[in-house]
Amino acid sequence: MSQRKSFLKFRRQVHQLALRLGNNPKLAFARLLQGILVFLFGALILIISDRVLANSLQQEMIALLGVIIAGIGIIMALFGYLSMSLLRLYHMINNKDH
């Protein structure tokens, strides 16, 4: 019985999260685009450090900065994408009229 209660509590929490994240599709799409742009900026820094700068510690530090920025962009884009699709997926999984 305790497992059922914890499962129902988890399901209610997932439902609330899906509603909160999927409530504003325009904001989620804006987050997705922002994440893509941040990723492209990080990739641009990485490419410029490889092609323009001479081999040095400074080049490696700038490349590391580019990788970090690109990683942040990927996380932002992923969050935006999940926000757009989480509510839709949740309703598809829990559709009662199979």
Side-chain angles (χ1 to χ4, degrees), residues 53-68:
L53 298 175
N55 290 341
S56 65
L57 180 61
Q58 182 183 12
Q59 177 200 21
E60 296 298 324
M61 297 303 285
I62 292 173
L64 179 63
L65 177 67
V67 169
I68 291 170

Side-chain angles (χ1 to χ4, degrees), residues 27-41:
L27 179 62
F29 186 67
R31 286 181 181 156
L32 175 68
L33 290 179
Q34 288 171 352
I36 291 170
L37 290 175
V38 169
F39 168 76
L40 290 175
F41 180 68

